[in-house]
Every structure is written in C-alpha cells, then in structure tokens.
C-alpha cells in the first residue's frame, strides 16, 4: 500500500511529559484518516511535528517516503496543507485578500486561480466582507482555502468542526468529501466529534497517552462493531437470571434496559422471561457505534 505519512518509534518529550511514546502511524494515499484520542493524548503534537513546527525527541516519520531527517523534507512539506487548532486568517481582510497574502508568503507568482479556489470552498460571493464578520463555518472554510494554496494533495485538519453549528458542520463535511473524491486529496483529521468523523473516515487511528493503540479501516471497523438487541424489561434481575441460564452475553444499562449480544431466539427468550414474570416491553436491533468502539478499546487497554 502507498502511504502519504508513516511514523516509526516516534517520541516527543517536553521536560517530564512524554507527549508521544514509541508512536507509529500509517496514512494511506487517498484516505480520510480519522485521528482519535482524548485531550492531551498527543494528536496535536504529531500534527506539529509533521508540519515542521517542532522536532521529535527521537524516532522518525516519513512524508511521501522521505524521512524527516533528509535535507529535502521541506520540499515534501510543500505538498501539505494544514489548519492547526484555529484557522490562520487576517480578520480585517476579505477572503480574497487573505488568499493573496498566503500566495505571497509561499511565493506563488499569480493570483489567477484565487476565484476558482474561493468557489471551491463556497466563499465566492463574500465580496468585500471582512473575515471578522464571517460565521465560524465560513472562517473554517477560509482556513481550508488558505491551506489549499499551492495545490497540496495532503491536508491536515485539527478539530475542523469544533464549535460549528449544524449547518457549518454539514458544509465542512461536504467540502472534505468533495476534495477527497474529486481532487484526490488525502486527509488526516483530528476530531472529538466521533459521530461526524464516522460519516467521513475511511481509516482510523486511536491514540492514548502518546501511543497508537490501534489502526483500522472503516470496513474492518464495520465488521468489528458488534450488533446487539436492546431490550426493555419489567424486571432486570429476572432478566439477568434468565440470560445467565441461557448463556447469552449481555450488558445492563439501567433498572429496565440491557443489550444482548450474539444470535438469540426471540420466542425462546420471551417465553423464558415470562416464566419469571418478567415482561418484555420493547426490542430494538442496534449496532455498536464508533464512540462505543473507542470507549471499549481504550477502556480495555486501561484494564490490561
């Protein structure tokens, strides 16, 4: 497989704090890679390293097959664009003037394709409106437009939908999907909003305390997320006794609610519960979410 970004035994230490510890990652070309972890897990540290804002304490990472220690790594970083934490925009400038300034900074000789870039991110009609009067979603899209200056094929986005309203979230989602599918841009996206990330990502990496816990494709995740039956009953103690006798795996959530895993014979279950004077109020088929998979994964690691 062709990878845009890889890392091997990557470490970053700030005095007594180990931000990255023997870290590894593999971002395939053409992927939307969801990078998931708690605050302080090391997500932003990795992003800062690959953007060249900081240097690793030890270990290596590679961009397009070139190691970070190679003299020509800066040439490969020019194929990247990034929005780290908050978009770097001039609030007293228009969207067009912000892009012109970025073009000057990176040494692009012509502004001819700025209108096309503004059209791409949905800001073509902002005219002389200054960025300080933009919505948060518009500012985020402008930040992505600035990151796209120079026509990169790898975009790194750190919490791109943080603080956005539902409409802003939809706009950013559609823009990311469009750039990925139509322009072939690879994404590394750090986000806490797992439900939204689940609508986008083709691959995932789960980081905890500076270490990569697991990397998995969306297809593999779909196969790993277990289906279950959520059941509401009148007597959870009787329910527990019956399930133990049958030998089914289950998880209790409240005095009336539980999930049952594995294949079950509904008729047999209802009759067995009826013998214990336990009524079945409702049955709903469910599938494990990205969020529950992440919680179970990290929780399992903590308990080892």
């Amino acid at each position: 497989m062709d990878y845009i970004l890889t890392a091997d035994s990557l470490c970053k230490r700030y005095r007594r704090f180990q931000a990255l510890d023997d870290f590894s990652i593999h971002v395939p070309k053409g992927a939307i890679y969801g990078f998931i972890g708690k605050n302080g897990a090391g997500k932003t540290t990795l992003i800062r390293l690959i953007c060249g804002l900081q240097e690793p304490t030890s270990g290596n990472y590679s961009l397009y097959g070139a190691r970070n220690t190679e003299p020509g790594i800066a040439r490969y970083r020019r194929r990247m664009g990034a929005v780290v934490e908050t978009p770097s925009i001039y609030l007293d400038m228009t969207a067009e003037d912000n892009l012109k300034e970025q073009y000057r900074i990176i040494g692009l000789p012509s502004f001819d394709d700025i209108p096309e870039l503004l059209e791409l991110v949905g800001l073509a009609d902002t005219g002389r409106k200054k960025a300080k009067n933009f919505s948060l979603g518009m500012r985020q899209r402008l930040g992505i437009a600035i990151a796209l200056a120079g026509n990169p094929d790898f975009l790194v986005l750190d919490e791109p939908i943080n603080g956005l309203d539902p409409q802003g979230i939809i706009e950013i989602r559609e823009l990311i999907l469009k750039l990925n599918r139509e322009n072939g841009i690879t994404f590394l996206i750090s986000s806490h909003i797992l439900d939204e990330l689940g609508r986008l990502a083709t691959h995932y990496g789960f980081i905890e305390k500076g270490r990569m816990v697991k990397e998995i494709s969306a297809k593999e995740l779909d196969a790993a997320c277990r289906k279950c039956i959520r059941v509401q009953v009148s007597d959870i103690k009787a329910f527990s006794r019956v399930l133990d006798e049958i030998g089914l795996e289950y998880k209790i959530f409240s005095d009336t609610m539980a999930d049952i895993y594995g294949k079950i014979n509904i008729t047999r279950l209802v009759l067995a519960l009826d013998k214990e004077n336990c009524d079945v109020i409702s049955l709903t088929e469910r599938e494990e979410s990205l969020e529950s998979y992440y919680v179970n994964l990290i929780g399992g690691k903590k308990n080892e």
Side-chain angles (χ1 to χ4, degrees):
M1 186 176 289
D2 192 7
Y3 294 106
I4 296 288
L5 168 68
T6 61
D8 180 34
S9 301
L10 191 62
C11 296
K12 179 62 180 178
R13 188 175 185 86
Y14 302 98
R15 295 185 180 179
R16 296 182 179 180
F17 178 63
Q18 190 78 26
L20 291 177
D21 183 12
D22 197 26
F23 179 83
S24 63
I25 192 171
H26 305 82
V27 179
K29 181 179 180 181
I32 300 177
Y33 189 103
F35 195 30
I36 299 171
K38 300 175 185 176
N39 285 333
K43 303 188 303 298
T44 300
T45 298
L46 174 72
I47 290 171
R48 288 182 172 277
L49 291 182
I50 64 175
C51 289
L53 300 175
Q54 295 177 350
E55 292 293 327
T57 305
S58 62
N60 294 283
Y61 65 87
S62 297
L63 289 170
Y64 303 94
R67 287 204 167 194
N68 61 290
T69 51
E70 294 181 16
I73 189 65
R75 176 163 55 92
Y76 292 97
R77 284 205 187 97
R78 294 193 191 103
R79 295 176 62 180
M80 288 177 57
V83 181
V84 183
E85 296 177 315
T86 56
S88 298
I89 60 178
Y90 297 97
L91 295 177
D92 285 325
M93 289 185 179
T94 65
E96 182 179 353
D97 287 341
N98 264 279
L99 282 172
K100 286 181 178 178
E101 190 63 27
Q102 180 66 10
Y103 274 44
R104 294 186 187 101
I105 290 170
I106 62 178
L108 294 178
S110 170
F111 300 147
D112 290 349
D113 59 351
I114 286 180
E116 183 181 349
L117 187 49
L118 288 172
E119 181 71 34
L120 179 64
V121 299
L123 295 174
D125 59 352
T126 54
R128 301 310 302 169
K129 187 176 183 178
K130 293 183 178 180
K132 64 183 178 182
N133 298 317
F134 285 6
S135 67
L136 286 177
M138 292 170 69
R139 291 183 191 182
Q140 195 67 266
R141 282 185 278 134
L142 177 56
I144 292 174
I146 291 170
L148 287 169
N151 197 29
D153 53 16
F154 180 35
L155 275 188
V156 179
L157 304 181
D158 190 10
E159 301 291 346
I161 58 175
N162 212 18
L164 299 188
D165 60 21
Q167 182 59 36
I169 291 173
I170 292 170
E171 290 171 355
I172 294 299
R173 181 206 309 156
E174 290 178 347
L175 176 58
I176 290 170
L177 289 172
K178 180 179 181 180
L179 292 171
N180 176 254
R181 292 168 180 172
E182 297 181 13
N183 297 63
I185 294 177
T186 302
F187 283 86
L188 173 65
I189 303 175
S190 163
S191 180
H192 289 103
I193 305 176
L194 302 191
D195 180 61
E196 183 60 30
L197 199 56
R199 300 170 186 262
L200 290 168
T202 61
H203 296 75
Y204 299 94
F206 300 91
I207 183 174
E208 171 74 358
K209 295 181 179 178
R211 285 177 172 263
M212 182 64 80
V213 177
K214 190 174 186 65
E215 290 186 289
I216 190 170
S217 71
K219 289 183 179 179
E220 291 169 333
L221 180 66
D222 287 342
C225 286
R226 296 186 299 173
K227 292 183 178 180
C228 66
I229 299 291
R230 176 150 295 182
V231 58
Q232 184 179 9
V233 295
S234 61
D235 186 342
I236 203 71
K237 291 182 180 179
F239 168 86
S240 181
R241 287 196 305 272
V242 169
L243 269 289
D244 287 339
E245 289 173 5
I246 295 176
L248 287 172
E249 183 184 354
Y250 63 93
K251 183 176 182 180
I252 294 173
F253 289 96
S254 70
D255 292 339
T256 61
M257 301 288 289
D259 282 347
I260 307 172
Y261 299 97
K263 293 184 178 180
I264 64 172
N265 184 313
I266 299 295
T267 303
R268 180 188 174 194
L269 175 64
V270 172
L271 289 173
L273 289 172
D274 184 60
K275 289 180 180 179
E276 295 289 330
N277 296 314
C278 177
D279 295 328
V280 176
I281 299 168
S282 66
L283 286 167
T284 309
E285 189 175 42
R286 294 172 59 86
E287 191 168 346
E288 189 177 22
S289 67
L290 173 60
E291 182 177 1
S292 60
Y293 179 86
Y294 165 69
V295 170
N296 290 332
L297 178 69
I298 300 302
K301 286 288 176 180
K302 285 182 177 179
N303 294 331
E304 287 180 357

